């Protein structure tokens, strides 16, 4: 009695994870040579996983490229938004300065000039009216002409009153409204710059984090 064993023995083990069905198996005891198929396992599941992983890699690469481009866009947009916000603030400050140092003093000067001119017109109209009354009393001037001079005098007085009212409105209402409007614009622009700066920073950080994750 005895046992015969092969002098050279090769053990083949499947490296496929999990279970795999055997599609082909060489007959036991068959003579084979190098390169002959001995056993074939079902690789359908592995091929599906391989294809799925290939798609995942492609999508991941695309996401990475998109995240990289998004970061560049976020940085560019952030820089543009901050620049625009700074410009808006600068323009608002210039507008306020122009009003305080230029527009309002000029408007006030014009109002004073209008009052001065209207005052002189009243004086001239009053002098002419007084003279016309004397001439009319001496019958050198008609009643119609006297009434015309009286009307001119009243008109001059009304123009003076209107000029004074315009200055009062300018000082007490228009100036306050315009000043507050421009000061508010500066305040809004200042807060707008802060908001834009914070948002730009947050967007950039988010884009960087997204790129790192991808």
């Amino acid at each position: 009695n005895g046992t015969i064993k092969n002098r050279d023995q090769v053990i083949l083990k499947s490296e496929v994870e999990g279970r795999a069905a055997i599609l082909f198996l060489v007959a036991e005891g068959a003579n084979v040579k190098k390169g002959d198929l001995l056993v074939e396992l079902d690789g359908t599941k592995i091929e599906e996983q391989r294809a799925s992983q290939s798609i995942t890699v492609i999508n991941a690469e695309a996401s990475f490229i998109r995240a990289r481009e998004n970061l560049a866009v976020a940085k560019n947009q952030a820089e543009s938004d901050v620049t625009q916000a700074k410009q808006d603030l600068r323009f608002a400050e210039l507008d306020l300065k122009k009003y305080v140092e230029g527009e309002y003093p000029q408007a006030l000067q014009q109002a004073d000039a209008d009052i001065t001119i209207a005052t002189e017109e009243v004086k001239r109209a009053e002098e002419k009216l007084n003279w016309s009354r004397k001439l009319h009393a001496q019958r050198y001037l008609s009643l119609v002409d006297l009434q015309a001079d009286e009307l001119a005098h009243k008109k001059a007085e009304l123009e003076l009153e209107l000029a004074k009212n315009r200055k009062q409105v300018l000082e007490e209402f228009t100036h306050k409204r315009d000043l507050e409007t421009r000061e508010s614009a500066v305040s809004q622009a200042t807060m707008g710059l802060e908001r834009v700066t914070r948002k730009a920073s947050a967007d950039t950080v988010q884009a960087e984090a997204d790129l790192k994750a991808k």
Side-chain angles (χ1 to χ4, degrees):
N1 294 333
T3 301
I4 298 176
K5 293 185 178 181
N6 294 329
R7 182 184 63 184
D8 297 326
Q9 186 176 15
V10 178
I11 299 176
L12 301 179
K13 294 183 178 180
S14 173
E15 297 180 356
V16 179
E17 295 180 356
R19 295 182 178 182
I22 297 177
L23 299 180
F24 170 79
L25 181 63
V26 68
E28 186 176 358
N31 292 323
V32 296
K33 62 182 182 296
K34 183 178 181 181
D36 288 350
L37 181 62
L38 303 182
V39 60
E40 181 182 0
L41 302 178
D42 185 7
T44 304
K45 184 177 181 181
I46 296 298
E47 288 298 327
E48 290 177 353
Q49 292 177 351
R50 180 175 179 275
S52 177
Q53 289 299 321
S54 296
I55 294 174
T56 301
V57 170
I58 293 173
N59 289 334
E61 289 176 345
S63 297
F64 168 71
I65 294 173
R66 185 165 57 250
R68 184 178 60 193
E69 295 303 315
N70 286 342
L71 175 58
V73 172
K75 288 182 177 180
N76 184 271
Q77 186 64 49
E79 182 179 354
S80 176
D81 291 344
V82 171
T83 300
Q84 182 63 49
K86 288 181 178 179
Q87 187 180 57
D88 292 342
L89 175 58
R90 185 168 64 254
F91 286 168
E93 291 173 341
L94 288 175
D95 192 35
L96 174 61
K97 183 177 181 180
K98 181 180 72 172
Y99 176 75
V100 172
E101 298 180 4
E103 292 179 355
Y104 175 63
Q106 289 179 0
L108 192 61
Q109 186 178 11
Q110 183 62 51
D112 289 335
D114 291 343
I115 292 175
T116 300
I117 293 174
T119 301
E120 291 299 321
E121 291 292 336
V122 170
K123 289 181 179 179
R124 290 178 57 186
E126 186 175 1
E127 290 175 356
K128 186 177 181 183
L129 177 59
N130 291 334
W131 178 250
S132 296
R133 285 172 177 170
K134 292 180 181 180
L135 292 178
H136 177 68
Q138 298 175 6
R139 300 183 183 278
Y140 290 113
L141 188 69
S142 67
L143 179 60
V144 175
D145 292 334
L146 176 61
Q147 290 175 342
D149 290 339
E150 289 177 343
L151 181 60
H153 179 258
K154 289 182 180 179
K155 183 179 178 181
E157 288 180 332
L158 289 176
E159 286 295 336
L160 175 59
E161 189 66 23
L162 287 174
K164 291 180 179 180
N165 289 338
R166 284 195 294 268
K167 180 181 179 180
Q168 183 180 6
V169 170
L170 174 64
E171 291 178 324
E172 298 181 4
F173 301 101
T174 306
H175 171 58
K176 292 181 180 180
R177 182 199 62 192
D178 292 344
L179 181 61
E180 288 181 5
T181 298
R182 286 162 175 77
E183 289 176 341
S184 176
V186 172
S187 177
Q188 292 295 328
T190 302
M191 291 186 290
L193 174 59
E194 183 178 357
R195 286 196 304 270
V196 168
T197 302
R198 290 179 180 272
K199 184 178 183 299
S201 178
D203 290 345
T204 302
V205 170
Q206 180 61 46
E208 289 174 346
D210 187 50
L211 175 61
K212 185 176 181 180
K214 293 297 184 292

mmCIF file of all heavy atoms in Angstrom, residues 117-159:
data_model
loop_
_atom_site.group_PDB
_atom_site.id
_atom_site.type_symbol
_atom_site.label_atom_id
_atom_site.label_comp_id
_atom_site.label_asym_id
_atom_site.label_seq_id
_atom_site.Cartn_x
_atom_site.Cartn_y
_atom_site.Cartn_z
ATOM 1 N N ILE A 117 -31.283 141.497 -4.084
ATOM 2 C CA ILE A 117 -31.834 142.093 -5.312
ATOM 3 C C ILE A 117 -33.304 142.454 -5.118
ATOM 4 O O ILE A 117 -33.756 143.536 -5.531
ATOM 5 C CB ILE A 117 -31.669 141.110 -6.483
ATOM 6 C CG1 ILE A 117 -30.183 140.921 -6.820
ATOM 7 C CG2 ILE A 117 -32.429 141.605 -7.709
ATOM 8 C CD1 ILE A 117 -29.920 139.858 -7.859
ATOM 9 N N ALA A 118 -34.055 141.564 -4.485
ATOM 10 C CA ALA A 118 -35.473 141.831 -4.248
ATOM 11 C C ALA A 118 -35.652 143.035 -3.327
ATOM 12 O O ALA A 118 -36.576 143.849 -3.513
ATOM 13 C CB ALA A 118 -36.139 140.590 -3.645
ATOM 14 N N THR A 119 -34.769 143.175 -2.335
ATOM 15 C CA THR A 119 -34.835 144.323 -1.426
ATOM 16 C C THR A 119 -34.598 145.627 -2.192
ATOM 17 O O THR A 119 -35.297 146.639 -1.977
ATOM 18 C CB THR A 119 -33.792 144.175 -0.308
ATOM 19 O OG1 THR A 119 -34.036 142.963 0.414
ATOM 20 C CG2 THR A 119 -33.861 145.352 0.657
ATOM 21 N N GLU A 120 -33.606 145.617 -3.067
ATOM 22 C CA GLU A 120 -33.332 146.808 -3.877
ATOM 23 C C GLU A 120 -34.502 147.126 -4.802
ATOM 24 O O GLU A 120 -34.844 148.306 -5.022
ATOM 25 C CB GLU A 120 -32.056 146.590 -4.696
ATOM 26 C CG GLU A 120 -30.781 146.536 -3.861
ATOM 27 C CD GLU A 120 -30.543 147.829 -3.112
ATOM 28 O OE1 GLU A 120 -30.811 148.908 -3.686
ATOM 29 O OE2 GLU A 120 -30.107 147.756 -1.945
ATOM 30 N N GLU A 121 -35.123 146.068 -5.346
ATOM 31 C CA GLU A 121 -36.277 146.284 -6.217
ATOM 32 C C GLU A 121 -37.435 146.911 -5.440
ATOM 33 O O GLU A 121 -38.162 147.785 -5.953
ATOM 34 C CB GLU A 121 -36.722 144.967 -6.842
ATOM 35 C CG GLU A 121 -35.753 144.397 -7.866
ATOM 36 C CD GLU A 121 -35.678 145.258 -9.114
ATOM 37 O OE1 GLU A 121 -36.643 145.991 -9.402
ATOM 38 O OE2 GLU A 121 -34.637 145.210 -9.804
ATOM 39 N N VAL A 122 -37.608 146.500 -4.188
ATOM 40 C CA VAL A 122 -38.659 147.083 -3.349
ATOM 41 C C VAL A 122 -38.366 148.566 -3.099
ATOM 42 O O VAL A 122 -39.275 149.419 -3.170
ATOM 43 C CB VAL A 122 -38.780 146.321 -2.016
ATOM 44 C CG1 VAL A 122 -39.689 147.081 -1.041
ATOM 45 C CG2 VAL A 122 -39.334 144.922 -2.255
ATOM 46 N N LYS A 123 -37.121 148.866 -2.795
ATOM 47 C CA LYS A 123 -36.755 150.265 -2.543
ATOM 48 C C LYS A 123 -37.010 151.134 -3.778
ATOM 49 O O LYS A 123 -37.564 152.231 -3.684
ATOM 50 C CB LYS A 123 -35.279 150.346 -2.142
ATOM 51 C CG LYS A 123 -35.000 149.793 -0.761
ATOM 52 C CD LYS A 123 -33.514 149.932 -0.426
ATOM 53 C CE LYS A 123 -33.221 149.399 0.971
ATOM 54 N NZ LYS A 123 -31.768 149.500 1.296
ATOM 55 N N ARG A 124 -36.587 150.599 -4.928
ATOM 56 C CA ARG A 124 -36.790 151.370 -6.166
ATOM 57 C C ARG A 124 -38.283 151.553 -6.462
ATOM 58 O O ARG A 124 -38.724 152.645 -6.828
ATOM 59 C CB ARG A 124 -36.103 150.654 -7.332
ATOM 60 C CG ARG A 124 -34.590 150.681 -7.265
ATOM 61 C CD ARG A 124 -33.982 149.913 -8.431
ATOM 62 N NE ARG A 124 -34.457 150.449 -9.705
ATOM 63 C CZ ARG A 124 -34.169 149.900 -10.889
ATOM 64 N NH1 ARG A 124 -33.437 148.792 -10.952
ATOM 65 N NH2 ARG A 124 -34.631 150.454 -11.998
ATOM 66 N N ALA A 125 -39.040 150.468 -6.280
ATOM 67 C CA ALA A 125 -40.476 150.552 -6.538
ATOM 68 C C ALA A 125 -41.149 151.509 -5.560
ATOM 69 O O ALA A 125 -42.076 152.253 -5.922
ATOM 70 C CB ALA A 125 -41.092 149.157 -6.449
ATOM 71 N N GLU A 126 -40.671 151.508 -4.313
ATOM 72 C CA GLU A 126 -41.256 152.387 -3.293
ATOM 73 C C GLU A 126 -40.941 153.858 -3.598
ATOM 74 O O GLU A 126 -41.813 154.745 -3.479
ATOM 75 C CB GLU A 126 -40.716 152.003 -1.924
ATOM 76 C CG GLU A 126 -41.377 152.765 -0.780
ATOM 77 C CD GLU A 126 -40.908 152.280 0.580
ATOM 78 O OE1 GLU A 126 -40.051 151.374 0.622
ATOM 79 O OE2 GLU A 126 -41.396 152.801 1.595
ATOM 80 N N GLU A 127 -39.711 154.132 -4.002
ATOM 81 C CA GLU A 127 -39.323 155.500 -4.345
ATOM 82 C C GLU A 127 -40.131 155.992 -5.545
ATOM 83 O O GLU A 127 -40.610 157.141 -5.576
ATOM 84 C CB GLU A 127 -37.835 155.548 -4.662
ATOM 85 C CG GLU A 127 -36.945 155.345 -3.431
ATOM 86 C CD GLU A 127 -35.469 155.285 -3.797
ATOM 87 O OE1 GLU A 127 -35.163 155.321 -5.024
ATOM 88 O OE2 GLU A 127 -34.635 155.189 -2.878
ATOM 89 N N LYS A 128 -40.272 155.094 -6.520
ATOM 90 C CA LYS A 128 -41.039 155.487 -7.699
ATOM 91 C C LYS A 128 -42.503 155.719 -7.357
ATOM 92 O O LYS A 128 -43.140 156.651 -7.860
ATOM 93 C CB LYS A 128 -40.913 154.408 -8.769
ATOM 94 C CG LYS A 128 -41.566 154.806 -10.080
ATOM 95 C CD LYS A 128 -41.368 153.754 -11.152
ATOM 96 C CE LYS A 128 -42.012 154.192 -12.463
ATOM 97 N NZ LYS A 128 -41.898 153.176 -13.524
ATOM 98 N N LEU A 129 -43.045 154.868 -6.465
ATOM 99 C CA LEU A 129 -44.444 155.021 -6.068
ATOM 100 C C LEU A 129 -44.655 156.332 -5.319
ATOM 101 O O LEU A 129 -45.653 157.037 -5.553
ATOM 102 C CB LEU A 129 -44.859 153.828 -5.199
ATOM 103 C CG LEU A 129 -46.282 153.865 -4.628
ATOM 104 C CD1 LEU A 129 -47.307 153.938 -5.760
ATOM 105 C CD2 LEU A 129 -46.542 152.661 -3.738
ATOM 106 N N ASN A 130 -43.739 156.675 -4.424
ATOM 107 C CA ASN A 130 -43.863 157.933 -3.673
ATOM 108 C C ASN A 130 -43.818 159.134 -4.627
ATOM 109 O O ASN A 130 -44.583 160.101 -4.476
ATOM 110 C CB ASN A 130 -42.745 158.040 -2.637
ATOM 111 C CG ASN A 130 -42.929 157.028 -1.513
ATOM 112 O OD1 ASN A 130 -44.059 156.590 -1.232
ATOM 113 N ND2 ASN A 130 -41.829 156.648 -0.863
ATOM 114 N N TRP A 131 -42.942 159.062 -5.582
ATOM 115 C CA TRP A 131 -42.846 160.161 -6.550
ATOM 116 C C TRP A 131 -44.111 160.243 -7.412
ATOM 117 O O TRP A 131 -44.609 161.327 -7.723
ATOM 118 C CB TRP A 131 -41.608 159.968 -7.404
ATOM 119 C CG TRP A 131 -41.416 161.005 -8.459
ATOM 120 C CD1 TRP A 131 -41.540 160.870 -9.800
ATOM 121 C CD2 TRP A 131 -41.089 162.371 -8.236
ATOM 122 N NE1 TRP A 131 -41.298 162.054 -10.450
ATOM 123 C CE2 TRP A 131 -41.018 163.024 -9.491
ATOM 124 C CE3 TRP A 131 -40.858 163.148 -7.070
ATOM 125 C CZ2 TRP A 131 -40.723 164.371 -9.642
ATOM 126 C CZ3 TRP A 131 -40.549 164.489 -7.229
ATOM 127 C CH2 TRP A 131 -40.497 165.094 -8.501
ATOM 128 N N SER A 132 -44.618 159.052 -7.778
ATOM 129 C CA SER A 132 -45.841 159.029 -8.596
ATOM 130 C C SER A 132 -47.018 159.591 -7.817
ATOM 131 O O SER A 132 -47.900 160.256 -8.394
ATOM 132 C CB SER A 132 -46.136 157.603 -9.046
ATOM 133 O OG SER A 132 -45.118 157.123 -9.891
ATOM 134 N N ARG A 133 -47.076 159.342 -6.536
ATOM 135 C CA ARG A 133 -48.164 159.886 -5.711
ATOM 136 C C ARG A 133 -48.107 161.412 -5.674
ATOM 137 O O ARG A 133 -49.152 162.104 -5.719
ATOM 138 C CB ARG A 133 -48.082 159.297 -4.305
ATOM 139 C CG ARG A 133 -48.558 157.849 -4.217
ATOM 140 C CD ARG A 133 -48.289 157.255 -2.859
ATOM 141 N NE ARG A 133 -48.813 155.879 -2.780
ATOM 142 C CZ ARG A 133 -48.557 155.050 -1.766
ATOM 143 N NH1 ARG A 133 -47.785 155.472 -0.744
ATOM 144 N NH2 ARG A 133 -49.058 153.833 -1.769
ATOM 145 N N LYS A 134 -46.917 161.939 -5.575
ATOM 146 C CA LYS A 134 -46.770 163.399 -5.579
ATOM 147 C C LYS A 134 -47.219 163.982 -6.909
ATOM 148 O O LYS A 134 -47.922 164.998 -6.960
ATOM 149 C CB LYS A 134 -45.315 163.784 -5.302
ATOM 150 C CG LYS A 134 -44.858 163.467 -3.888
ATOM 151 C CD LYS A 134 -43.405 163.867 -3.683
ATOM 152 C CE LYS A 134 -42.937 163.520 -2.265
ATOM 153 N NZ LYS A 134 -41.506 163.902 -2.064
ATOM 154 N N LEU A 135 -46.775 163.314 -7.993
ATOM 155 C CA LEU A 135 -47.166 163.798 -9.318
ATOM 156 C C LEU A 135 -48.669 163.673 -9.524
ATOM 157 O O LEU A 135 -49.305 164.558 -10.140
ATOM 158 C CB LEU A 135 -46.434 162.993 -10.405
ATOM 159 C CG LEU A 135 -44.919 163.205 -10.483
ATOM 160 C CD1 LEU A 135 -44.315 162.311 -11.562
ATOM 161 C CD2 LEU A 135 -44.595 164.680 -10.782
ATOM 162 N N HIS A 136 -49.245 162.599 -9.024
ATOM 163 C CA HIS A 136 -50.678 162.408 -9.169
ATOM 164 C C HIS A 136 -51.444 163.450 -8.353
ATOM 165 O O HIS A 136 -52.501 163.955 -8.799
ATOM 166 C CB HIS A 136 -51.075 161.007 -8.714
ATOM 167 C CG HIS A 136 -52.561 160.769 -8.768
ATOM 168 N ND1 HIS A 136 -53.263 160.695 -9.960
ATOM 169 C CD2 HIS A 136 -53.484 160.597 -7.763
ATOM 170 C CE1 HIS A 136 -54.535 160.471 -9.707
ATOM 171 N NE2 HIS A 136 -54.699 160.425 -8.375
ATOM 172 N N ALA A 137 -50.921 163.787 -7.167
ATOM 173 C CA ALA A 137 -51.578 164.802 -6.341
ATOM 174 C C ALA A 137 -51.565 166.165 -7.031
ATOM 175 O O ALA A 137 -52.479 166.983 -6.852
ATOM 176 C CB ALA A 137 -50.889 164.888 -4.975
ATOM 177 N N GLN A 138 -50.525 166.400 -7.830
ATOM 178 C CA GLN A 138 -50.423 167.659 -8.552
ATOM 179 C C GLN A 138 -51.018 167.546 -9.958
ATOM 180 O O GLN A 138 -50.843 168.438 -10.788
ATOM 181 C CB GLN A 138 -48.958 168.100 -8.638
ATOM 182 C CG GLN A 138 -48.337 168.362 -7.271
ATOM 183 C CD GLN A 138 -46.841 168.675 -7.355
ATOM 184 O OE1 GLN A 138 -46.302 168.798 -8.457
ATOM 185 N NE2 GLN A 138 -46.205 168.819 -6.214
ATOM 186 N N ARG A 139 -51.674 166.404 -10.206
ATOM 187 C CA ARG A 139 -52.339 166.147 -11.483
ATOM 188 C C ARG A 139 -51.379 166.068 -12.676
ATOM 189 O O ARG A 139 -51.741 166.350 -13.808
ATOM 190 C CB ARG A 139 -53.415 167.206 -11.753
ATOM 191 C CG ARG A 139 -54.501 167.259 -10.685
ATOM 192 C CD ARG A 139 -55.570 168.281 -11.043
ATOM 193 N NE ARG A 139 -56.574 168.383 -9.997
ATOM 194 C CZ ARG A 139 -57.609 167.547 -9.872
ATOM 195 N NH1 ARG A 139 -57.769 166.579 -10.740
ATOM 196 N NH2 ARG A 139 -58.487 167.716 -8.892
ATOM 197 N N TYR A 140 -50.129 165.659 -12.391
ATOM 198 C CA TYR A 140 -49.172 165.449 -13.475
ATOM 199 C C TYR A 140 -49.104 163.986 -13.913
ATOM 200 O O TYR A 140 -48.401 163.662 -14.876
ATOM 201 C CB TYR A 140 -47.766 165.903 -13.050
ATOM 202 C CG TYR A 140 -47.628 167.387 -12.913
ATOM 203 C CD1 TYR A 140 -47.404 167.974 -11.664
ATOM 204 C CD2 TYR A 140 -47.722 168.217 -14.032
ATOM 205 C CE1 TYR A 140 -47.281 169.343 -11.535
ATOM 206 C CE2 TYR A 140 -47.610 169.591 -13.909
ATOM 207 C CZ TYR A 140 -47.388 170.142 -12.654
ATOM 208 O OH TYR A 140 -47.269 171.502 -12.543
ATOM 209 N N LEU A 141 -49.802 163.131 -13.165
ATOM 210 C CA LEU A 141 -49.761 161.687 -13.464
ATOM 211 C C LEU A 141 -51.166 161.134 -13.370
ATOM 212 O O LEU A 141 -51.905 161.454 -12.433
ATOM 213 C CB LEU A 141 -48.838 160.955 -12.482
ATOM 214 C CG LEU A 141 -48.555 159.483 -12.787
ATOM 215 C CD1 LEU A 141 -47.693 159.368 -14.056
ATOM 216 C CD2 LEU A 141 -47.835 158.822 -11.610
ATOM 217 N N SER A 142 -51.495 160.274 -14.313
ATOM 218 C CA SER A 142 -52.849 159.717 -14.330
ATOM 219 C C SER A 142 -53.008 158.661 -13.252
ATOM 220 O O SER A 142 -52.033 158.091 -12.735
ATOM 221 C CB SER A 142 -53.145 159.110 -15.707
ATOM 222 O OG SER A 142 -52.319 157.976 -15.927
ATOM 223 N N LEU A 143 -54.273 158.374 -12.937
ATOM 224 C CA LEU A 143 -54.579 157.352 -11.931
ATOM 225 C C LEU A 143 -54.128 155.966 -12.399
ATOM 226 O O LEU A 143 -53.659 155.155 -11.595
ATOM 227 C CB LEU A 143 -56.081 157.351 -11.650
ATOM 228 C CG LEU A 143 -56.567 156.311 -10.638
ATOM 229 C CD1 LEU A 143 -55.894 156.538 -9.283
ATOM 230 C CD2 LEU A 143 -58.087 156.371 -10.512
ATOM 231 N N VAL A 144 -54.245 155.741 -13.694
ATOM 232 C CA VAL A 144 -53.838 154.425 -14.247
ATOM 233 C C VAL A 144 -52.350 154.197 -14.036
ATOM 234 O O VAL A 144 -51.923 153.107 -13.620
ATOM 235 C CB VAL A 144 -54.202 154.346 -15.735
ATOM 236 C CG1 VAL A 144 -53.663 153.047 -16.338
ATOM 237 C CG2 VAL A 144 -55.705 154.423 -15.920
ATOM 238 N N ASP A 145 -51.542 155.236 -14.287
ATOM 239 C CA ASP A 145 -50.097 155.105 -14.095
ATOM 240 C C ASP A 145 -49.757 154.920 -12.619
ATOM 241 O O ASP A 145 -48.841 154.163 -12.261
ATOM 242 C CB ASP A 145 -49.374 156.330 -14.648
ATOM 243 C CG ASP A 145 -49.461 156.404 -16.166
ATOM 244 O OD1 ASP A 145 -49.619 155.320 -16.781
ATOM 245 O OD2 ASP A 145 -49.376 157.513 -16.730
ATOM 246 N N LEU A 146 -50.477 155.629 -11.767
ATOM 247 C CA LEU A 146 -50.244 155.483 -10.329
ATOM 248 C C LEU A 146 -50.571 154.057 -9.878
ATOM 249 O O LEU A 146 -49.829 153.449 -9.096
ATOM 250 C CB LEU A 146 -51.101 156.487 -9.558
ATOM 251 C CG LEU A 146 -51.029 156.386 -8.031
ATOM 252 C CD1 LEU A 146 -49.604 156.619 -7.546
ATOM 253 C CD2 LEU A 146 -52.003 157.357 -7.377
ATOM 254 N N GLN A 147 -51.687 153.541 -10.358
ATOM 255 C CA GLN A 147 -52.051 152.171 -9.985
ATOM 256 C C GLN A 147 -51.027 151.159 -10.510
ATOM 257 O O GLN A 147 -50.745 150.140 -9.853
ATOM 258 C CB GLN A 147 -53.437 151.853 -10.536
ATOM 259 C CG GLN A 147 -54.560 152.620 -9.833
ATOM 260 C CD GLN A 147 -55.906 152.378 -10.477
ATOM 261 O OE1 GLN A 147 -56.002 151.928 -11.627
ATOM 262 N NE2 GLN A 147 -56.991 152.722 -9.748
ATOM 263 N N ALA A 148 -50.468 151.417 -11.661
ATOM 264 C CA ALA A 148 -49.429 150.531 -12.207
ATOM 265 C C ALA A 148 -48.197 150.523 -11.309
ATOM 266 O O ALA A 148 -47.600 149.475 -11.043
ATOM 267 C CB ALA A 148 -49.060 150.952 -13.625
ATOM 268 N N ASP A 149 -47.836 151.696 -10.814
ATOM 269 C CA ASP A 149 -46.679 151.786 -9.914
ATOM 270 C C ASP A 149 -46.984 151.109 -8.582
ATOM 271 O O ASP A 149 -46.092 150.481 -7.970
ATOM 272 C CB ASP A 149 -46.294 153.245 -9.691
ATOM 273 C CG ASP A 149 -45.696 153.879 -10.948
ATOM 274 O OD1 ASP A 149 -45.233 153.101 -11.808
ATOM 275 O OD2 ASP A 149 -45.713 155.117 -11.059
ATOM 276 N N GLU A 150 -48.218 151.260 -8.111
ATOM 277 C CA GLU A 150 -48.605 150.576 -6.872
ATOM 278 C C GLU A 150 -48.527 149.061 -7.059
ATOM 279 O O GLU A 150 -48.088 148.325 -6.173
ATOM 280 C CB GLU A 150 -50.027 150.991 -6.468
ATOM 281 C CG GLU A 150 -50.125 152.431 -5.966
ATOM 282 C CD GLU A 150 -51.561 152.818 -5.660
ATOM 283 O OE1 GLU A 150 -52.475 152.102 -6.131
ATOM 284 O OE2 GLU A 150 -51.758 153.839 -4.965
ATOM 285 N N LEU A 151 -48.979 148.583 -8.205
ATOM 286 C CA LEU A 151 -48.922 147.145 -8.495
ATOM 287 C C LEU A 151 -47.475 146.661 -8.582
ATOM 288 O O LEU A 151 -47.140 145.577 -8.072
ATOM 289 C CB LEU A 151 -49.644 146.858 -9.818
ATOM 290 C CG LEU A 151 -49.692 145.383 -10.261
ATOM 291 C CD1 LEU A 151 -50.418 144.536 -9.217
ATOM 292 C CD2 LEU A 151 -50.359 145.260 -11.617
ATOM 293 N N ALA A 152 -46.610 147.472 -9.201
ATOM 294 C CA ALA A 152 -45.190 147.117 -9.300
ATOM 295 C C ALA A 152 -44.558 147.047 -7.920
ATOM 296 O O ALA A 152 -43.726 146.168 -7.632
ATOM 297 C CB ALA A 152 -44.463 148.125 -10.182
ATOM 298 N N HIS A 153 -44.983 147.968 -7.038
ATOM 299 C CA HIS A 153 -44.444 147.968 -5.677
ATOM 300 C C HIS A 153 -44.885 146.719 -4.918
ATOM 301 O O HIS A 153 -44.089 146.071 -4.215
ATOM 302 C CB HIS A 153 -44.903 149.231 -4.950
ATOM 303 C CG HIS A 153 -44.412 149.304 -3.536
ATOM 304 N ND1 HIS A 153 -45.210 149.001 -2.447
ATOM 305 C CD2 HIS A 153 -43.188 149.619 -3.031
ATOM 306 C CE1 HIS A 153 -44.521 149.144 -1.345
ATOM 307 N NE2 HIS A 153 -43.279 149.530 -1.669
ATOM 308 N N LYS A 154 -46.149 146.355 -5.060
ATOM 309 C CA LYS A 154 -46.651 145.142 -4.402
ATOM 310 C C LYS A 154 -45.951 143.890 -4.941
ATOM 311 O O LYS A 154 -45.626 142.971 -4.190
ATOM 312 C CB LYS A 154 -48.161 145.033 -4.605
ATOM 313 C CG LYS A 154 -48.971 146.052 -3.824
ATOM 314 C CD LYS A 154 -50.466 145.858 -4.044
ATOM 315 C CE LYS A 154 -51.279 146.884 -3.264
ATOM 316 N NZ LYS A 154 -52.742 146.705 -3.487
ATOM 317 N N LYS A 155 -45.738 143.887 -6.257
ATOM 318 C CA LYS A 155 -45.055 142.755 -6.866
ATOM 319 C C LYS A 155 -43.628 142.620 -6.329
ATOM 320 O O LYS A 155 -43.161 141.513 -6.051
ATOM 321 C CB LYS A 155 -45.034 142.922 -8.384
ATOM 322 C CG LYS A 155 -44.406 141.748 -9.114
ATOM 323 C CD LYS A 155 -44.448 141.957 -10.612
ATOM 324 C CE LYS A 155 -43.777 140.786 -11.331
ATOM 325 N NZ LYS A 155 -43.774 140.984 -12.806
ATOM 326 N N ALA A 156 -42.950 143.744 -6.182
ATOM 327 C CA ALA A 156 -41.582 143.724 -5.655
ATOM 328 C C ALA A 156 -41.570 143.211 -4.216
ATOM 329 O O ALA A 156 -40.678 142.447 -3.811
ATOM 330 C CB ALA A 156 -40.962 145.110 -5.740
ATOM 331 N N GLU A 157 -42.572 143.649 -3.418
ATOM 332 C CA GLU A 157 -42.654 143.178 -2.039
ATOM 333 C C GLU A 157 -42.913 141.664 -1.985
ATOM 334 O O GLU A 157 -42.349 140.955 -1.138
ATOM 335 C CB GLU A 157 -43.758 143.928 -1.303
ATOM 336 C CG GLU A 157 -43.410 145.388 -0.999
ATOM 337 C CD GLU A 157 -44.536 146.098 -0.256
ATOM 338 O OE1 GLU A 157 -45.712 145.701 -0.427
ATOM 339 O OE2 GLU A 157 -44.230 147.026 0.512
ATOM 340 N N LEU A 158 -43.765 141.186 -2.877
ATOM 341 C CA LEU A 158 -44.039 139.740 -2.938
ATOM 342 C C LEU A 158 -42.789 138.958 -3.336
ATOM 343 O O LEU A 158 -42.520 137.881 -2.787
ATOM 344 C CB LEU A 158 -45.180 139.467 -3.923
ATOM 345 C CG LEU A 158 -46.578 139.898 -3.481
ATOM 346 C CD1 LEU A 158 -47.584 139.664 -4.601
ATOM 347 C CD2 LEU A 158 -47.010 139.126 -2.225
ATOM 348 N N GLU A 159 -42.049 139.499 -4.288
ATOM 349 C CA GLU A 159 -40.816 138.833 -4.715
ATOM 350 C C GLU A 159 -39.811 138.761 -3.568
ATOM 351 O O GLU A 159 -39.116 137.747 -3.389
ATOM 352 C CB GLU A 159 -40.196 139.586 -5.901
ATOM 353 C CG GLU A 159 -40.936 139.399 -7.216
ATOM 354 C CD GLU A 159 -40.877 137.964 -7.706
ATOM 355 O OE1 GLU A 159 -39.935 137.231 -7.332
ATOM 356 O OE2 GLU A 159 -41.778 137.558 -8.465
#
